[in-house]
Every structure is written in C-alpha cells, then in structure tokens.
Amino acid sequence: MKQTGKLYVVGIGPGSYEQMTIKAVRAMEESQVVVGYTVYADLMREHFPGKEWITTPMRQETERCRMAIEKAEDGMTVALICSGDAGVYGMSGLILELVGESDSPIVEVIPGVTAALSGGALLGAPLGHDFAVISLSDLLTPMELIEDRLLHAAKADLAICLYNPSSRKRSDYLRRACDIMLTAKKPETVCGIAKNIGREGESMELMTLSELRDTSTDMFTTVFIGNEKTKAVNGRMVTPRGYRNV
C-alpha cells in the first residue's frame, strides 16, 4: 500500500502575500510540494522557498490535480494552490471528485479571499446586499445558460459580480452581458471595475452601466454592477443594506 500524506487545496487570495489568510500561509509552510497554474505559482515562489514546485499551464486542470493527488499518496504534504478561493471557480471540487470515496489522501480545503471580496473592498462596498457571482467564460458553461443567469439576476435587482469578463477570443462578451442587463437595469446603474487586484498595476474605476458596455477589460478584471440603490459616495461604490434606516 502507498503511504498516505495530506493534500491541502489552498485559496491564495488575489495574489499578494499580505492578502492570504493565516491558515493558508501555514498550510503552504507545512507543505513539501506546491502544485499550481504557472501564473499563480510565480506569485508565491519567493514567499515559500525550499519547496518542490510543480506547475502546468492553463487548461490542464485535471492533470494538475492528479499530480497533486499522486504526490500526497506517496506520503508527501502537498498544497494545490488556486487564486482567490479554492471553491469559487477553483480546484477543490475537482480534487474531491477525483479522490472520491477513498480515504487516501486526506484532503483539507483552505478558503481564500475571492475576487468578489478583494475587488469589492478596493471599490468600496458594492456587495453590501444580496448579490450574484457569474463568470462570462463559456469554456465550460454554454453561453445560453450564462445569458439566462445574467437576465434573471438583473430582473431580481441583484448586485452582480462578473468574473472573466473578456479575453482575446471573447472581446465582446462584456458588451453582450451589459446589453442583457440593460433590459432590466437602468442605464445609469452604478458600476465599477477592479483590475490586477492585489498585484502590480492595481486600479479601480466607477462608471454607469451604459458606460461599462464600452469599457475595455481583460481576464485580470473583475466587474461589479450595482442594484437599484447602489450609489457613488466620494468616489467609492456603495450598495446599502439599509442599516441607516433601522
């Protein structure tokens, strides 16, 4: 029988060491091997020297997870890292599916600060009330389903956080999303974007929904669309919960 180690699935947050949770740092320090997407691994290397690093490019998620499982089954303590939170568009679900009903290896999921929260803090308080998080990437989800979710979230007057708003191959996806939301939300709805959260080049900007439609974004941008009561307060985006009226 193989000696069983431990596998941590670690949410590293937006990318800066300072925004990792203490529990995530301790899991990384304890681990002998770190497995991750190359871009995220490069953000962490200098903070955790002396580890064995195993990286793969994008779209090799299953291979990456299998390598982490195999290292843990060989008795190693392994950290599989994910940006943001490991359970929000991350690898924790895939790891648990691959391990299945087996007791080997022991898996522990370590939460992290997802972009909806770190980007929200940069902008102010855009998610102060009920909200939806939707990815515009149709790599694994049909666009028809994404569009249906956008429409229903907009009709419900939820604040909405968009992940993966555009890429080279999907340059018009954010515009299409805004057109859908404009059927249920007002053009002057307060919106914001957060770029390179927790990394070099970090920035934020407020705008209206009609202006957002023509705004350039990339895969390192997180987009926030307010609800009917969202407002701009001294350059910050605020979605009130209603505490001032209590």
Side-chain angles (χ1 to χ4, degrees):
M1 290 182 64
K2 288 185 176 181
Q3 181 182 2
T4 299
K6 184 163 186 177
L7 174 54
Y8 292 110
V9 191
V10 182
I12 63 171
S16 63
Y17 178 82
E18 293 76 13
Q19 295 193 54
M20 293 179 68
T21 66
I22 294 173
K23 193 171 184 178
V25 170
R26 288 175 177 168
M28 293 283 286
E29 290 174 340
E30 181 184 334
S31 297
Q32 300 156 290
V33 182
V34 181
V35 182
Y37 171 44
T38 306
V39 173
Y40 304 146
D42 288 345
L43 293 170
M44 295 285 106
R45 285 181 191 272
E46 66 176 298
H47 302 292
F48 301 98
K51 309 295 182 184
E52 178 185 352
W53 291 83
I54 300 174
T55 64
T56 66
M58 190 177 289
R59 302 186 70 174
Q60 293 187 17
E61 288 79 8
T62 300
E63 180 183 352
R64 193 184 312 149
C65 288
R66 290 193 188 280
M67 288 191 294
I69 291 170
E70 288 171 3
K71 283 288 185 179
E73 286 179 334
D74 287 339
M76 309 287 278
T77 301
V78 182
L80 174 69
I81 60 174
C82 310
S83 68
D85 180 84
V88 180
Y89 306 115
M91 295 294 101
S92 60
L94 179 54
I95 282 287
L96 294 172
E97 286 181 316
L98 292 173
V99 172
E101 301 294 328
S102 173
D103 293 330
S104 172
I106 300 168
V107 177
E108 182 176 349
V109 180
I110 308 294
V113 181
T114 188
L117 305 183
S118 55
L122 183 62
L123 282 163
L127 305 180
H129 212 311
D130 299 335
F131 64 92
V133 177
I134 300 172
S135 171
L136 295 190
S137 172
D138 61 348
L139 183 63
L140 301 173
T141 306
M143 180 49 67
E144 295 78 10
L145 180 55
I146 295 171
E147 291 177 344
D148 190 50
R149 290 170 174 171
L150 287 167
L151 180 60
H152 282 84
K155 285 184 175 181
D157 194 33
L158 293 170
I160 301 170
C161 178
L162 299 180
Y163 283 42
N164 308 312
S166 61
S167 67
R168 292 178 184 176
K169 295 181 180 180
R170 301 182 292 104
S171 59
D172 66 331
Y173 279 27
L174 179 58
R175 175 174 292 192
R176 290 169 61 184
C178 289
D179 286 340
I180 291 169
M181 291 184 287
L182 280 165
T183 65
K185 289 180 176 286
K186 297 177 181 178
E188 61 269 23
T189 298
V190 177
C191 299
I193 60 173
K195 292 187 175 184
N196 298 307
I197 305 163
R199 308 174 191 177
E200 184 178 353
E202 180 182 79
S203 66
M204 56 82 82
E205 182 180 358
L206 265 59
M207 62 199 69
T208 65
L209 180 55
S210 60
E211 292 170 335
L212 176 64
R213 182 181 181 277
D214 298 313
T215 298
S216 176
T217 60
D218 57 26
M219 291 292 285
F220 297 103
T221 305
T222 307
V223 176
F224 297 79
I225 298 95
N227 67 16
E228 189 176 47
K229 296 187 182 298
T230 302
K231 53 189 176 181
V233 180
N234 195 26
R236 309 297 290 278
M237 185 177 176
V238 178
T239 301
R241 176 78 189 276
Y243 292 117
R244 292 186 65 174
N245 301 321
V246 175

